[in-house]
Amino acid sequence: MPFMTPTIVVATGNKGKLAEIQSVAQSAGLDYTFRAIFDLLPDWEPPLEDGDTFEVNAGIKARAGYTALGLPTLADDSGLVVDALDGRPGVYSSSFGGVEGDDVRNNTKLLEELSKIEDFSARGARFLSTLVLVGLDSLLPHAPNYLVAAGSCEGTIAYHAAGDKGFGYDPLFMPAATLGRTMAQLDMQEKNAISHRGHALEDLMTQLGKL
């Protein structure tokens, strides 16, 4: 499956994630094309993510994508860790509300669980992201087969949702760096500069730039 520029498959159907990856790669000046796996293999069935850490789950997806297409595959596993909930939802962030990938249910569940915590300072949380890239050695013979990068973003859970530019828990997460705005109220450039995935991508792009 030849491409004009070096191509890395992204094992996701989330257009928001793909847009972030493309934006950060462009800003880093790297000559890679990132393609969603479903654009190349519409019938791809994502594997069961049954790991207990973000890295394990990202690795499961990346290896499955690489096996299916034979192209370097990047996968992300990320989630929200809330102090008052003893780290939940964590690796179960995407199904926290009972239905996989249902942002409305997830956000509703989060607000319900924090409804009795009125002290804003007690609603601390952080987004964590881990990226795993598998099979880069098939594109660059001197590159490692397995790369991992990670990033985080500290913040607080708001009392109400605000903003329409993000996805997932973005409308409820207020990064410490944005003076009262939620992640969903930031434009792409602002978000990439502070987000957990943005930091993880910067880490990844730095590693790619050295190869």
Side-chain angles (χ1 to χ4, degrees), residues 154-182:
E154 294 289 331
T156 309
I157 304 301
Y159 300 110
H160 306 285
D164 59 4
K165 295 176 182 172
F167 57 91
Y169 295 96
D170 285 357
L172 290 177
F173 185 80
M174 300 178 70
T178 58
L179 301 176
R181 290 184 294 163
T182 70

Side-chain angles (χ1 to χ4, degrees), residues 189-208:
Q189 185 175 2
E190 289 178 300
K191 182 176 180 179
N192 284 343
I194 66 167
S195 77
H196 54 306
R197 192 172 297 108
H199 290 313
L201 286 168
E202 289 173 359
D203 182 12
L204 179 68
M205 299 308 168
T206 296
Q207 293 185 59
L208 289 177

Side-chain angles (χ1 to χ4, degrees), residues 27-43:
S27 296
L30 293 179
D31 189 25
Y32 286 93
T33 296
F34 291 87
R35 298 283 302 275
I37 192 168
F38 292 104
D39 290 340
L40 302 173
L41 194 64
D43 296 330

Side-chain angles (χ1 to χ4, degrees), residues 121-133:
S121 65
R123 297 167 69 96
R126 65 204 49 82
F127 272 128
L128 300 178
S129 175
T130 299
L131 299 169
V132 171
L133 175 56

